[in-house]
């Protein structure tokens, strides 16, 4: 069974080394001690959310502090091909469900998309609060999945800004029920053509809201370089399409 994971602040693990002691405090320590009830002698992983992970043994478990003797330090590199879920805002927390599940499945970043047919609107103070809620959601999901990386929740975009993201991406795929080419084939062809290329790249998986992506948006995004792809014979919910796309992409790209 894998060790439970708790997150330390950025840079907190920089000096960690085998044999050293690391003290986790704050909300994460309280969660470890009072909720997970970790005790002396148990194994635990501490990650910084940016790829570094230490494994160690709990030597002290105070109410607001968890002391761990480090036994190993690992740095998990980013994948060469990063998967980015562009998730349209959707009602009923379906968008949050999508990003949580996609995080557990291995998404690298998330972009909230204010699409034409999104009923939910991020404006003013609500936008900052909603963005923070999304970041909390992916952080909790990363912990659940025992990940060393916490996906980045990028600033929300409208369709005009998304078109610029599409133009800069290595590949941008609109998951669309009217598409003809299966996602697996689109990804496989792109991967073959990219074999001679070097350096990191990004694939955007674009998912519309509950009302679907408007024809005008599809045209605009395809003009910027996006392609449409079909996930399967059934119409998926906004909360399901993104995670399903992550599964297919992870398999085709050899991430799994």
């Amino acid at each position: 069974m894998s060790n439970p994971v708790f997150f330390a602040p950025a840079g907190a693990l920089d000096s960690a080394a085998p044999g050293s002691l690391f003290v986790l405090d704050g909300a994460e320590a309280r969660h470890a001690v009072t909720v997970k009830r970790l005790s002396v002698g148990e194994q635990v992983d501490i990650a910084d959310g940016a790829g570094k992970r230490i494994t160690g043994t709990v030597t002290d478990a105070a109410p607001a502090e968890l002391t761990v003797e480090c036994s190993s330090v690992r740095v998990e590199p980013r994948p060469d091909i990063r998967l980015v879920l562009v998730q349209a805002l959707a009602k009923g927390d379906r968008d949050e469900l999508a990003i949580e599940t996609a995080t557990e499945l291995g998404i690298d970043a998330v972009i909230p998309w204010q699409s034409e047919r999104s009923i939910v609107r991020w404006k003013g103070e609500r936008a900052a609060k909603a963005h923070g809620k999304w970041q909390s959601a992916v952080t909790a999901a990363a912990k659940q999945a025992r990940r060393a990386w916490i996906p980045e929740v990028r600033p929300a975009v409208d369709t005009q800004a998304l078109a610029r993201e599409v133009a800069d991406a290595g590949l941008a795929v609109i998951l669309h029920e009217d598409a003809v080419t299966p996602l697996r084939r689109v990804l496989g062809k792109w991967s073959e053509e990219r074999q001679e290329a070097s350096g990191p790249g990004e694939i955007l998986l674009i998912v519309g809201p509950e009302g679907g992506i408007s024809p005008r948006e599809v045209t605009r995004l395809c003009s910027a370089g996006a392609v449409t792809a079909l996930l399967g014979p059934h119409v998926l919910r906004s909360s399901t399409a993104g995670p399903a796309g992550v599964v297919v992409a992870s398999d085709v790209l050899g991430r799994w």
Side-chain angles (χ1 to χ4, degrees):
M1 183 175 178
S2 59
N3 297 331
V5 170
F6 298 93
F7 288 117
L13 301 180
D14 289 352
S15 60
S20 65
L21 294 179
F22 178 79
V23 178
L24 181 70
D25 57 15
E28 284 291 270
R30 287 191 294 273
H31 185 245
V33 176
T34 63
V35 178
K36 292 297 186 180
R37 297 189 179 279
L38 291 185
S39 57
V40 173
E42 292 192 78
Q43 294 291 300
V44 66
D45 285 4
I46 309 293
D48 66 357
K52 180 171 284 188
R53 179 199 302 263
I54 69 169
T55 296
T57 304
V58 177
T59 60
D60 188 45
E65 282 190 351
L66 187 74
T67 303
V68 178
E69 183 178 359
C70 176
S71 58
S72 66
V73 180
R74 286 175 289 166
V75 177
E76 301 177 12
R78 287 182 183 272
D80 287 338
I81 306 300
R82 302 186 70 205
L83 295 178
V84 180
L85 174 60
V86 179
Q87 177 64 49
L89 305 185
K91 64 180 182 179
D93 293 334
R94 291 195 180 279
D95 46 14
E96 288 185 40
L97 177 59
I99 65 172
E100 287 175 353
T101 307
T103 296
E104 293 176 15
L105 294 169
I107 202 73
D108 298 302
V110 173
I111 299 177
W113 175 30
Q114 187 77 69
S115 69
E116 289 182 8
R117 293 178 175 173
S118 290
I119 296 174
V120 175
R121 295 284 157 180
W122 285 12
K123 294 181 180 179
E125 294 182 0
R126 180 179 182 180
K129 183 178 180 180
H131 186 277
K133 190 176 181 182
W134 275 38
Q135 188 64 67
S136 295
V138 299
T139 299
K143 184 190 297 187
Q144 170 66 34
R146 314 292 201 263
R147 293 185 60 173
W149 285 94
I150 299 174
E152 170 194 11
V153 179
R154 297 178 184 173
V157 296
D158 58 14
T159 302
Q160 181 178 354
L162 178 56
R164 293 193 291 268
E165 297 280 352
V166 167
D168 291 338
L171 174 67
V173 184
I174 302 170
L175 304 179
H176 201 283
E177 63 184 278
D178 292 335
V180 175
T181 308
L183 176 60
R184 179 175 294 276
R185 189 180 304 168
V186 170
L187 292 170
K189 180 181 179 181
W190 180 82
S191 182
E192 291 177 0
E193 292 174 348
R194 194 184 181 280
Q195 285 182 357
E196 301 300 323
S198 59
E202 284 194 346
I203 294 177
L204 305 185
L205 299 174
I206 303 171
V207 177
E210 54 270 36
I213 303 174
S214 74
R216 179 168 54 184
E217 288 175 316
V218 172
T219 298
R220 185 166 192 175
L221 296 177
C222 287
S223 295
V227 296
T228 59
L230 186 66
L231 271 173
H234 309 297
V235 177
L236 302 181
R237 292 179 182 269
S238 181
S239 57
T240 309
V246 174
V247 170
V248 174
S250 297
D251 181 40
V252 172
L253 299 174
R255 289 167 56 113
W256 285 8

